[in-house]
Amino acid sequence: MAIIVVNGVRRDVQAPADTPLLYVLRNELELTGPQFGCGLAQCGSCSVLLDGKEIRSCITAVSAAVGKDVTTLEGLPGRWAKQKGLSPAEVENTLHPVQQAWIEEQTPLCGFCQNGMMIKATELLERVATPTVADIKEAFTTSGPSAHLCRCGSYTAIIQAVQRAASAMGGSR
Ligand code: FES
Ligand code: FES
């Protein structure tokens, strides 16, 4: 049992402390943005932000999230709204620029991997306002425990969506 903060809300978790965070998010908190892909930190589909850093929730015990801020795909609009100081009324109709760019570029194919792609993009753009293509490739391949995998091959569209999001967030395209 633990208390964790997910998307800005304190949540009382009943699962044992060594339960993977992914299982808690999906099964107990009903946040189904993070996906179960490999379960071995080798695909990125389960990614969430932990204090702003992308982690693989399939291999991270829920106890590791105690005292830190967890952001899931569902929490990206609220994260952006807080960063920009948007009003509650504005928040209702706001997506994170990364999510909006994903829609405008029509990035997903089957969509299974795209949770991790958007989480990684958010982490990158909070750190680097105007990433180069090399920066984007590095973020999605060698910056984490493994590359983010897309079996549908949406990699080119992902690069374009990250560039669009960077522009929307104030960087240049
Ligand atoms: S399900 Fe976690 S990295 Fe693949
Ligand atoms: S869009 Fe299908 S796995 Fe990436």
Side-chain angles (χ1 to χ4, degrees):
M1 300 216 317
I3 293 175
I4 59 175
V5 177
V6 182
N7 300 334
V9 179
R10 269 171 58 99
R11 305 297 298 260
D12 201 347
V13 170
Q14 300 304 311
D18 60 351
T19 305
L21 178 60
L22 177 63
Y23 300 177
V24 170
L25 293 173
R26 288 186 60 87
N27 300 338
E28 197 169 324
L29 304 185
E30 299 184 348
L31 293 166
T32 55
Q35 302 294 315
F36 185 98
C38 63
L40 299 166
Q42 293 183 357
C43 74
S45 64
C46 65
S47 292
V48 300
L49 296 175
L50 192 63
D51 280 354
K53 181 161 173 43
E54 183 241 338
I55 59 137
R56 307 292 165 92
S57 65
C58 65
I59 57 149
T60 304
V62 66
S63 58
V66 174
K68 300 182 177 176
D69 285 322
V70 179
T71 304
T72 70
L73 185 66
E74 294 88 344
L76 290 186
R79 185 178 183 87
W80 176 247
K82 188 173 176 190
Q83 289 167 350
K84 301 304 288 183
L86 301 183
S87 69
E90 289 172 309
V91 171
E92 284 289 306
N93 300 309
T94 301
L95 286 176
H96 192 286
V98 164
Q99 295 168 309
Q100 192 64 42
W102 249 246
I103 293 169
E104 290 169 4
E105 292 288 343
Q106 301 200 357
T107 306
L109 294 169
C110 83
F112 195 86
C113 69
Q114 300 293 336
N115 166 75
M117 301 302 186
M118 286 183 274
I119 291 292
K120 174 53 81 176
T122 302
E123 181 203 56
L124 170 64
L125 292 172
E126 288 185 0
R127 188 167 46 84
V128 183
T130 56
T132 63
V133 170
D135 291 334
I136 297 168
K137 288 182 177 178
E138 190 269 340
F140 282 86
T141 56
T142 58
S143 73
S146 71
H148 282 254
L149 300 180
C150 175
R151 287 190 171 86
C152 300
S154 65
Y155 300 114
T156 302
I158 287 168
I159 292 171
Q160 291 169 342
V162 172
Q163 291 174 316
R164 181 183 283 271
S167 178
M169 292 169 74
S172 61
R173 191 166 189 196

